Amino acid sequence: MSTMTFGRAINAGLRRAMDDDPKVVLLGEDIGRLGGVFRITDGLQKDFGAHRVMDTPLAEAGIMGTAVGMAYRGYRPVVEIQFDGFIYPAFDQIVSQVAKLHYRTRGAVRMPITIRVPFGGGIGSPEHHSESPEAYFTHTSGLRVVSPSNPQDAYSMIQQAVASDDPVLYFEPKRRYHVKGEVDEAEDLSASDMGSARVVTEGRDVTLVTYGPLVPTARDAAIAASDDGISIEVIDLRSLAPIDFPTVEASVRKTGRLVVTHEAARSGGLGAEIAASITERCFDYLEHAPVRVTGFDIPYPYSKLEFHHLPDLDRILDGVDRVLRRPNSLSGLDMEGPAQ
Amino acid sequence: MTQDGARPGSGFTGGDDDAGPASGLVLPGPARPGADEPVQLIDPSGVRHPHGHYDPLVADVDGAALQKLYEDMVVVRRIDAEATALQRQGELALWPPLLGQEAAQIGSGRALRSDDFVFSSYRENAVAYCRGVDLADILRVWRGNASSGWDPYTINMATPQVIIGAQTLHATGYAMGIINDGADSVAVTYFGDGATSQGDVNEAMVFAASYQAPVVFFCQNNHWAISEPVGLQAHVPIARRAPGFGIPSVRVDGNDVLACLAVTREALARARSGGGPTFIEAVTYRMGPHTTADDPTRYRDPNELEDWAARDPLARLATLLDSLGLLEADYTDAVKARADAVAAELREGCLSMPEPAPSDVFRHVYSAPHSELERQQDHYERYLSSFDQPAQEGHR
């Protein structure tokens, strides 16, 4: 067991994956000598060589499309997209090629590609550097989508992603890169499932579902709520596609109330999917309609206003108040009803 | 001069020794006068012309080998006609004919080694034929029975690509893998003139040049991207673009099977020996529609078709063979019998293709279990099976 930052844990996980399998290769802009703009691949080119840690031309479709070709050849490419907002030029290669080639070839061709995406806001960046595009990819069949929230998961899940024969979008909450935590580097990965959700704190009154960057915020909300005698069960999804619904379902059957929170915009987002799916599965158990606490349906705002957009502890607690029908809701609005 | 104005063979006067050892080759650097003239070994009237640079590359192609190339082209033209007929008879939803492009595809396809790997678009059925595809597999996609016709690794040819130009990046990435493996095989990618406008094709050339990847870009400039003439895609010969990326290129008469074989062999040899990528522009013509859903009479001057019919790739080789005394009746009868047999096999394979099962829609989306998809499959299978059970009271 050792203490390391979230970013360092990804580095350690990549290093172990590359040690274990010579077919693992890394492609991306600035990932070699620089070690990536966030230094996640720091030292890997030096230790594994430029043929395994490849600095690429500045072309996202090119990076993704050549990764497809390398996968055809039997390699397991790990692609770094420098920032969330830069993934769109590669969108066609991801959704039309990476996601579909296994299906298209009736299983003959595997696409064991890991796509690392630093995502989310909260670091004061200019536009295109703080987006949460995960729903585009959870909507695409053939892709698996995950997002770790702590150094241990970051370490473990990057190895699981690389080992997966399916393509995996690995969304890294960039504002958590420098958060430290304990990492058991000897963890038996075969004993855990990349697709399983984790119950962060147990509770009996409200189920609070989130992932990635907002997990620590949700946990803080649970601690704050406990001062008011409200018991929140926080679930870290870890996997966004597929979603571990049985874990969420079991929690909601217990609490009868669901709040989902994410940084991404609300409409058509994961919160909508989770609310709808849980309503279908647990309608008779719900005491209140599920509530979403999300980013607004706006382009990601400039940095001085981004904290209005990002759900924080108070907005999450406001959502909790609403499913509990508590009169001290900060907004005082019933979001499900017409505006007065 | 726009691409529309470029005419293969026009003004061709025979041997090109004076133009240097690699006439037709465009090396990185300023464009050379004359370099846009397509390489041609057999002219439209069927006359074989000597060529100082390319003749040695096809020195082994004797009369029997020429006859084999002719047979290939007759067979794939017959495949095309049979598939078109099957579509008209309602057996195929769609078919993209390659009529007129037989020489470009057979000439290049016959240059490949079995361990080379092809990434093509949807029109390269003659290349698939060269790779040894099971005939019915060519039709599987167009009959709607599968998303792909074959296992790419059985014939070393990827699933034909529908997204225009995407496959050029796959070929380049595959070639980067070849470098890492220390192998001497080559990735070859086929695409049309329209694809050269796509970002993917341009990015593929950037990557190929940067890593000196063993990839051959084989562009069939067939002059039309559905209804858009090549002049809308390019104002200079397409082959001139590649040197800007640091990739040597060559224009070849795409209706001359021997020239296509020669330039492809040269490109493959360069790639195998560490010389990196090559761009080939085969100047040819799509004589049929884009697909059977298309109507070229709405956008194409009939005189243009007539001009190109005079440069038909089969006719010129037939004339050459005839002049060599290699087109006797017993030979042509055998070729026709072979084409008829292939067509019969194709038709039989099409009509006897088993229908897919409903649950097949769920297969191969993922390589490992996926909880949400399993749930959907389970629900749907139970729903379907409910039709097999006797109606019970209260059921609809």
Side-chain angles (χ1 to χ4, degrees):
Chain A
M1 194 76 87
S2 54
T3 302
M4 60 179 78
T5 62
F6 186 97
R8 198 69 201 167
I10 302 171
N11 179 281
L14 284 171
R15 179 177 291 278
R16 187 168 158 189
M18 295 182 79
D19 269 331
D20 289 348
D21 185 350
K23 290 294 188 185
V24 177
V25 292
L26 275 51
L27 294 93
E29 298 159 10
D30 307 305
I31 67 169
R33 282 185 296 176
L34 182 65
V37 291
F38 291 107
R39 311 292 183 264
I40 303 301
T41 55
D42 188 29
L44 296 178
Q45 188 182 69
K46 177 172 160 288
D47 295 340
F48 291 97
H51 66 296
R52 291 193 64 194
V53 181
M54 305 174 76
D55 271 322
T56 65
L58 204 162
E60 284 76 13
I63 298 168
M64 201 63 63
T66 52
V68 168
M70 294 197 84
Y72 250 107
R73 181 75 191 176
Y75 285 85
R76 308 184 83 85
V78 181
V79 168
E80 177 174 306
I81 296 296
Q82 199 157 66
F83 280 93
D84 34 50
F86 305 164
I87 200 168
Y88 307 114
F91 193 73
D92 170 62
Q93 285 287 342
I94 296 173
V95 303
S96 298
Q97 309 297 333
V98 174
K100 295 197 175 82
L101 271 163
H102 189 263
Y103 192 67
R104 191 181 298 152
T105 62
R106 291 181 286 169
V109 177
R110 295 197 166 177
M111 286 287 125
I113 298 175
T114 301
I115 304 167
R116 293 184 35 242
V117 191
F119 89 120
I123 63 168
S125 284
E127 63 174 348
H128 311 300
H129 290 68
S130 301
E131 302 190 7
S132 299
E134 58 270 26
Y136 295 117
F137 303 101
T138 60
H139 195 63
T140 300
S141 301
L143 301 175
R144 295 179 188 272
V145 183
V146 302
S147 182
S149 69
N150 60 72
Q152 179 68 61
D153 282 353
Y155 174 76
S156 306
M157 287 165 64
I158 190 66
Q159 293 176 71
Q160 291 169 322
V162 174
S164 170
D165 279 340
D166 291 320
V168 180
L169 272 292
Y170 181 90
F171 278 98
E172 303 168 5
K174 64 173 90 77
R175 64 166 145 154
R176 305 292 177 198
Y177 273 145
H178 301 295
V179 173
K180 288 185 178 175
E182 292 287 305
V183 175
D184 176 7
E185 292 183 74
E187 182 194 24
D188 178 9
L189 291 175
S190 64
S192 58
D193 173 9
M194 184 175 65
S196 66
R198 178 175 67 101
V199 177
V200 180
T201 62
E202 293 196 3
R204 63 177 183 280
D205 298 328
V206 177
T207 298
L208 176 57
V209 174
T210 190
Y211 53 89
L214 288 184
V215 171
T217 314
R219 189 190 55 221
D220 291 346
I223 293 168
S226 67
D227 292 342
D228 283 349
I230 300 168
S231 171
I232 298 179
E233 182 147 300
V234 177
I235 294 177
D236 174 3
L237 287 178
R238 297 202 284 204
S239 173
L240 314 183
I243 287 171
D244 178 5
F245 278 117
T247 295
V248 181
E249 197 176 330
S251 177
V252 171
R253 283 173 192 249
K254 180 172 64 175
T255 65
R257 294 174 177 87
L258 173 66
V259 175
V260 187
T261 183
H262 54 61
E263 291 187 8
R266 173 172 303 180
S267 297
L270 273 175
E273 174 57 41
I274 294 164
S277 290
I278 289 300
T279 303
E280 281 182 348
R281 295 170 187 233
C282 304
F283 184 72
D284 291 341
Y285 294 82
L286 286 168
E287 304 285 345
H288 189 279
V291 161
R292 291 170 286 168
V293 181
T294 69
F296 305 120
D297 290 351
I298 57 172
Y300 196 86
Y302 27 96
S303 59
K304 286 196 174 175
L305 292 182
E306 67 179 331
F307 287 99
H308 290 283
H309 174 70
L310 297 170
D312 61 8
L313 184 146
D314 286 333
R315 278 180 61 199
I316 292 171
L317 288 175
D318 179 54
V320 169
D321 283 345
R322 275 189 277 141
V323 293
L324 287 167
R325 293 192 172 91
R326 277 163 57 93
N328 61 341
S329 164
L330 289 175
S331 69
L333 291 174
D334 178 357
M335 297 297 283
E336 287 76 51
Q340 297 298 309
Chain B
M1 181 174 70
T2 70
Q3 281 277 289
D4 252 341
R7 290 287 184 267
S10 59
F12 189 87
T13 53
D16 204 11
D17 289 343
D18 293 340
S23 173
L25 183 69
V26 184
L27 292 165
R32 290 188 300 119
D36 294 339
E37 193 65 36
V39 175
Q40 190 181 69
L41 302 181
I42 305 170
D43 73 19
S45 61
V47 176
R48 171 76 164 90
H49 295 274
H51 195 294
H53 180 74
Y54 286 106
D55 278 352
L57 283 154
V58 288
D60 61 314
V61 181
D62 56 13
L66 276 178
Q67 283 182 317
K68 187 74 183 74
L69 292 170
Y70 178 76
E71 178 192 314
D72 281 346
M73 291 201 290
V74 170
V75 168
V76 298
R77 182 166 287 190
R78 187 75 173 80
I79 288 173
D80 222 42
E82 194 69 17
T84 300
L86 284 164
Q87 193 280 330
R88 296 302 187 219
Q89 291 158 9
E91 300 294 346
L92 302 177
L94 196 70
W95 176 252
L98 60 85
L99 184 69
Q101 299 178 221
E102 295 88 350
Q105 294 192 23
I106 294 295
S108 59
R110 286 298 182 205
L112 305 180
R113 225 165 60 183
S114 63
D115 63 337
D116 296 330
F117 207 100
V118 173
F119 293 85
S120 75
S121 86
Y122 43 80
R123 203 183 298 283
E124 278 73 43
N125 293 302
V127 179
Y129 175 75
C130 291
R131 305 303 283 167
V133 70
D134 283 341
L135 289 173
D137 284 349
I138 294 178
L139 303 183
R140 212 170 285 278
V141 170
W142 307 110
R143 193 162 167 78
N145 278 43
S147 302
S148 67
W150 55 82
D151 174 345
Y153 297 112
T154 60
I155 59 171
N156 278 351
M157 180 167 176
T159 304
Q161 182 59 247
V162 172
I163 301 287
I164 301 298
Q167 73 276 16
T168 58
L169 278 168
H170 305 166
T172 303
Y174 189 94
M176 288 156 61
I178 291 173
I179 296 174
N180 276 11
D181 292 342
D184 74 341
S185 54
V186 179
V188 183
T189 180
Y190 289 85
F191 50 100
D193 44 297
T196 61
S197 297
Q198 288 277 1
D200 280 6
V201 176
N202 290 275
E203 292 188 25
M205 286 196 275
V206 171
F207 276 65
S210 293
Y211 298 111
Q212 285 296 287
V215 56
V216 174
F217 295 92
F218 196 96
C219 174
Q220 290 171 87
N221 173 2
N222 71 10
H223 283 76
W224 290 95
I226 307 189
S227 71
E228 296 183 351
V230 65
L232 194 62
Q233 319 288 341
H235 277 260
V236 297
I238 290 169
R240 269 203 223 164
R241 292 191 198 175
F245 291 95
I247 298 175
S249 67
V250 60
R251 292 192 102 202
V252 61
D253 181 342
N255 287 9
D256 174 352
V257 70
L258 197 59
C260 289
L261 179 70
V263 299
T264 309
R265 281 180 168 180
E266 181 180 48
L268 291 166
R270 176 181 297 132
R272 287 192 215 293
S273 60
T278 300
F279 188 104
I280 297 168
E281 179 192 355
V283 183
T284 180
Y285 194 76
R286 186 238 296 154
M287 294 174 74
H290 166 67
T291 69
T292 46
D294 178 32
D295 177 9
T297 64
R298 294 172 72 101
Y299 54 82
R300 204 156 67 176
D301 182 344
N303 293 327
E304 183 181 292
L305 183 61
E306 200 176 309
D307 287 349
W308 279 93
R311 296 170 212 158
D312 186 287
L314 264 77
R316 76 172 69 178
L317 186 52
T319 306
L320 175 62
L321 287 173
D322 196 27
S323 72
L324 297 171
L326 296 170
L327 203 67
E328 299 298 323
D330 56 343
Y331 166 70
T332 54
D333 288 349
V335 169
K336 182 174 184 310
R338 164 87 180 133
D340 287 344
V342 166
E345 186 186 341
L346 188 77
R347 174 170 287 272
E348 166 61 19
C350 177
L351 301 181
S352 64
M353 206 174 285
E355 290 292 305
S359 61
D360 283 355
V361 298
F362 296 103
R363 296 184 68 208
H364 306 305
V365 181
Y366 298 90
S367 65
H370 184 282
S371 55
E372 185 54 30
L373 192 60
E374 286 179 336
R375 182 180 162 93
Q376 290 178 18
Q377 179 171 359
D378 176 61
H379 280 197
Y380 191 60
E381 287 178 349
R382 281 191 284 129
Y383 166 75
L384 286 181
S385 67
S386 70
F387 291 99
D388 301 330
Q389 291 162 5
Q392 296 172 17
E393 196 174 345
H395 279 210
R396 280 181 295 172

